[in-house]
Amino acid sequence: MNTSRLSFKAVFLLILLSAACASVPPNADREEGQAAITLKTSDADIKEARSAFDSKDYAKAIRLLTPLAEQGNPRGQYALGIMYAEGRGVSKDYSEAMKWFRKSAEQGNPRGQYALGTMYAEGRGVSKDYSEAMKWFRKSAEQGNPRGQYALGTMYAEGRGVSKDYSEAMKWFRKSAEQGYPKGQAVLGWMYHSGSGVDEDYSEAMKWFRKAAEHGYPPAQTALGTMYGQGQRVSRDYSEAMKWYRKAAEQGYPPAQTALGTMYYGQGQRVSRDYSEAMKWYRKAAEQEYSDAQWRVGAMYANGQSVSKDYAEAEKWFRKAASQGNPHGALWLGRLYIEGWGIGQNVAEAAMWYKLAVDKFRKAGFPVERFEDAQGTSASALLLKAVAYPPEALAMSYLWVKKMLHFLPAVDAGATINLPDKTITKSNVEEYRGRYEKRLSLYGEAIKQRGYKTISGAYKGETTESCAKIQSAWVGVIHERSQSGIEIEQHGIEAQVVIRVTHEGKELSLKNEAAIAESAISVLDAMNSDYFFRGEIKDQAIVIKPNLSVLDKWPKWAGPPSRSDLENCTITLKPLSADSGSEQRGQIYFPSVEYDGHA
């Protein structure tokens, strides 16, 4: 699959495989209800039942179908099962539907077999059983039923009840599509578009999308609109894209309504921007619980586009989207909390939602750095970047800011701190103190959301030979084995690596500040404030190495250590015994408030 086209594929995979392929319950197809009645038979009662169904006289349809089913008519049994599965003329009853589908299927009716397979696939009226679903889908498919063929292809495409096999899926999707079944045609188009089970071919994709779209199938209409909108194998044509989006949107299809709203929103498309139309279509989709539209409605309230700016309403829609796991909704909700827009500032809550957003985006292969919120130096940008940092970078950043705060009292007393891009003096020290305190708080909340290991206790240390040459006091003591003890004292995300040394009968302590994020640890050399160490907390040891950045700050005249010695130096701290120190050593600690799907 070509990842350069991930955007379209991800959207269409959501549209088609999630909305159409992921499940094939009887009540997912409106035509299935019709199919219960549109049976090619001369049976007068079946025809009369069809007429009753078409006129929405479901009670009459039930009266006509029940005796047919009880007399063993397989088409009547299938149709009656649909009535129970959809709750038409009777209370919805999956167990009763299952009973009639089974009777029909066991007589060899391909639609009954397909319907029985769906019940097993979805666990409706019976325990979910993909193997049993496969059995009945195959029976239906082998009789040439296009729905059964489509369903069997879906099982192969998703690896449900069978090993994932795109080639086999392609075979069955093609059989279904060539009989004119719109869902089979649409998914065959997606297989060509994504290069799954076949060479990628946009021309073939367009052909099959168009066939399904002309049958009125909304996911295919949406896919066709996207191909025109993005100029895939056709000249980019926004008017044609709008036409197909509108056809699907007017059938109530949320992804198409959202796409149409985005066209009106004017994100680079050559159509007249119309925020009112954008909001209209976004809202239609959002009210169907479509999360990608919900966060867009929230954004329009937050920005005051076509509506008065209303942060409370924005928060409502962002929360709806975020609570479904939508990363855009979570990103916006986090920003509302960090900025305090209309709901009061809450850094911990902001960090929680930002973490959800980052995790979701990363899982989808989307770089967080591309978001506007990740740029600049605002509180929201800093928190988002902190949540997205590699854990060792986050621990080191926290420790660096803490170090700077430790030095500021010297500036109060008249000293000057010269940094590469700034100078801190008595005249601006309060400004920098405020910045650093805010940054330390943001980094701390980011670490708490991501968790951190607990490592308090007594340790023994050893180093490689190169460590003798890196000019670090605490490392040198460990290398020479002249310490009387090593203790790690931890308080939340902060810790001290304490090296105890006996000198002339007196015990001295060398205390090195440390910070922990997830399983990463950063240590600051107590004798050299530019000397950072980074490490990993493993099951049986903490493995630490010097950070090479110290070479950038070490004056050449002072004889810095060699890069080779720094690269080859490794400090290993091992617990003295399994029962020493904290009983929770090495366990990840997470904050008490975690995302659980609800605010």
Side-chain angles (χ1 to χ4, degrees):
M1 188 179 291
N2 185 341
T3 56
S4 67
R5 301 188 181 93
L6 177 63
S7 177
F8 176 86
K9 291 173 184 175
V11 169
F12 192 62
L13 182 60
L14 170 67
I15 290 171
L16 193 55
L17 286 185
S18 293
C21 297
S23 61
V24 280
N27 62 347
D29 278 336
R30 194 51 40 219
E31 75 267 24
E32 289 304 332
Q34 301 285 349
I37 312 303
T38 56
L39 304 173
K40 293 181 180 179
T41 176
S42 59
D43 189 290
D45 287 335
I46 289 285
K47 289 183 178 180
E48 192 175 353
R50 171 187 174 175
S51 177
F53 185 92
D54 289 343
S55 61
K56 293 184 169 53
D57 188 349
Y58 301 131
K60 182 178 180 180
I62 287 287
R63 288 198 305 272
L64 292 166
L65 290 171
T66 299
L68 282 174
E70 290 175 343
Q71 290 165 24
N73 184 301
R75 294 188 176 93
Q77 291 166 337
Y78 165 73
L80 186 60
I82 289 291
M83 301 295 279
Y84 276 105
E86 296 189 355
R88 296 177 183 272
V90 290
S91 298
K92 186 178 288 188
D93 188 333
Y94 289 136
S95 296
E96 192 69 12
M98 185 77 180
K99 181 184 84 174
W100 292 111
F101 288 150
R102 187 181 299 281
K103 287 178 179 291
S104 176
E106 288 175 347
Q107 292 194 70
N109 183 281
R111 289 190 173 181
Q113 292 166 339
Y114 161 75
L116 185 59
T118 67
M119 301 298 275
Y120 276 113
E122 293 300 309
R124 297 176 186 269
V126 67
S127 297
K128 187 177 289 188
D129 187 332
Y130 291 145
S131 296
E132 197 69 10
M134 280 288 293
K135 181 182 87 173
W136 290 106
F137 286 152
R138 190 178 299 281
K139 286 178 180 289
S140 177
E142 288 175 348
Q143 290 195 69
N145 182 278
R147 294 171 181 82
Q149 292 165 340
Y150 162 79
L152 186 59
T154 298
M155 300 294 277
Y156 276 111
E158 297 187 346
R160 295 197 294 176
V162 67
S163 297
K164 186 176 288 189
D165 187 335
Y166 285 135
S167 296
E168 192 68 11
M170 187 75 181
K171 180 183 85 173
W172 291 107
F173 287 148
R174 186 180 299 282
K175 287 178 180 288
S176 176
E178 288 175 347
Q179 292 193 68
Y181 186 51
K183 286 188 177 182
Q185 293 169 333
V187 76
L188 186 60
W190 177 81
M191 298 292 277
Y192 275 113
H193 193 283
S194 64
S196 300
V198 67
D199 291 339
E200 185 179 278
D201 187 332
Y202 279 4
S203 295
E204 278 294 296
M206 175 70 87
K207 180 183 87 174
W208 290 106
F209 285 152
R210 188 179 297 281
K211 286 178 180 289
E214 288 173 349
H215 276 96
Y217 187 50
Q221 293 170 331
T222 306
L224 195 58
T226 300
M227 291 193 77
Y228 275 112
Q230 295 187 2
Q232 296 176 346
R233 193 55 65 185
V234 292
S235 298
R236 181 171 286 178
D237 188 333
Y238 291 122
S239 296
E240 195 70 8
M242 289 278 282
K243 180 185 87 173
W244 288 106
Y245 284 149
R246 190 178 298 280
K247 285 178 179 289
E250 288 176 348
Q251 293 186 67
Y253 188 56
Q257 293 169 331
T258 304
L260 186 59
T262 301
M263 296 287 281
Y264 278 115
Y265 191 86
Q267 293 188 188
Q269 288 93 2
R270 296 174 185 173
V271 296
S272 298
R273 175 173 284 174
D274 188 330
Y275 286 147
S276 295
E277 277 294 297
M279 177 63 104
K280 180 183 87 173
W281 289 106
Y282 284 158
R283 190 180 289 279
K284 285 178 181 289
E287 288 173 350
Q288 295 184 67
E289 304 301 323
Y290 189 60
S291 67
D292 203 43
Q294 290 172 329
W295 76 262
R296 294 173 190 271
V297 170
M300 293 193 76
Y301 273 110
N303 293 325
Q305 294 165 323
S306 90
V307 290
S308 299
K309 188 174 287 190
D310 187 334
Y311 288 127
E313 193 69 11
E315 187 266 345
K316 180 185 85 174
W317 289 105
F318 291 147
R319 189 175 297 278
K320 282 177 178 287
S323 295
Q324 293 188 62
N326 185 288
H328 295 279
L331 193 71
W332 267 100
L333 193 56
R335 189 173 184 183
L336 250 62
Y337 274 111
I338 189 64
E339 301 291 354
W341 290 338
I343 56 175
Q345 190 177 56
N346 187 324
V347 177
E349 190 84 2
M352 180 186 79
W353 291 111
Y354 273 166
K355 182 178 185 298
L356 172 67
V358 167
D359 289 347
K360 292 286 185 179
F361 282 127
R362 278 192 172 144
K363 188 174 182 180
F366 196 98
V368 176
E369 294 74 16
R370 286 178 57 181
F371 284 93
E372 179 183 350
D373 233 18
Q375 309 303 318
T377 58
S378 68
S380 59
L382 286 171
L383 183 60
L384 179 57
K385 285 192 284 191
V387 169
Y389 274 157
E392 66 176 36
L394 180 55
M396 190 173 295
S397 297
Y398 181 91
L399 200 55
W400 184 89
V401 175
K402 188 180 177 187
K403 177 193 79 170
M404 294 304 299
L405 283 169
H406 178 75
F407 286 156
L408 293 186
V411 180
D412 293 330
T416 297
I417 297 177
N418 293 306
L419 298 172
D421 58 344
K422 62 179 72 77
T423 299
I424 305 176
T425 66
K426 200 169 183 177
S427 64
N428 61 10
V429 67
E430 288 305 318
E431 175 190 347
Y432 280 98
R433 181 175 281 113
R435 288 186 190 179
Y436 289 142
E437 286 175 348
K438 176 182 286 187
R439 186 166 293 198
L440 192 71
S441 172
L442 295 176
Y443 288 162
E445 289 298 339
I447 293 174
K448 288 176 185 176
Q449 282 303 317
R450 293 171 63 166
Y452 52 89
K453 284 197 171 183
T454 54
I455 55 173
S456 293
Y459 289 79
K460 59 182 178 181
E462 58 187 46
T463 72
T464 55
E465 284 301 318
S466 297
C467 294
K469 306 173 188 177
I470 69 166
Q471 303 180 44
S472 169
W474 75 279
V475 176
V477 170
I478 295 175
H479 178 75
E480 295 170 4
R481 301 184 183 277
S482 57
Q483 77 275 8
S484 58
I486 302 173
E487 191 82 18
I488 295 182
E489 300 171 354
Q490 183 175 355
H491 303 283
I493 62 181
E494 297 181 0
Q496 283 188 333
V497 179
V498 182
I499 312 297
R500 305 192 192 281
V501 182
T502 302
H503 179 67
E504 296 181 352
K506 294 181 180 180
E507 186 171 83
L508 305 176
S509 296
L510 194 61
K511 297 183 178 181
N512 304 277
E513 298 294 327
I516 304 162
E518 296 183 11
S519 60
I521 183 171
S522 180
V523 182
L524 178 62
D525 193 307
M527 306 300 288
N528 183 342
S529 62
D530 290 328
Y531 213 158
F532 284 89
F533 292 76
R534 54 187 171 79
E536 182 182 2
I537 303 165
K538 300 183 177 182
D539 290 340
Q540 301 298 324
I542 303 172
V543 181
I544 301 171
K545 296 183 71 67
N547 193 32
L548 298 179
S549 64
V550 70
L551 293 176
D552 300 330
K553 301 174 182 178
W554 204 305
K556 300 299 182 186
W557 57 264
S562 72
R563 177 176 291 272
S564 175
D565 286 334
L566 290 172
E567 289 175 341
N568 292 317
C569 173
T570 301
I571 306 104
T572 304
L573 304 180
K574 296 181 179 180
L576 282 179
S577 64
D579 58 357
S580 66
S582 170
E583 294 180 0
Q584 298 298 315
R585 178 192 284 126
Q587 299 298 308
I588 284 280
Y589 169 81
F590 288 101
S592 58
V593 179
E594 295 181 68
Y595 174 74
D596 61 359
H598 303 282

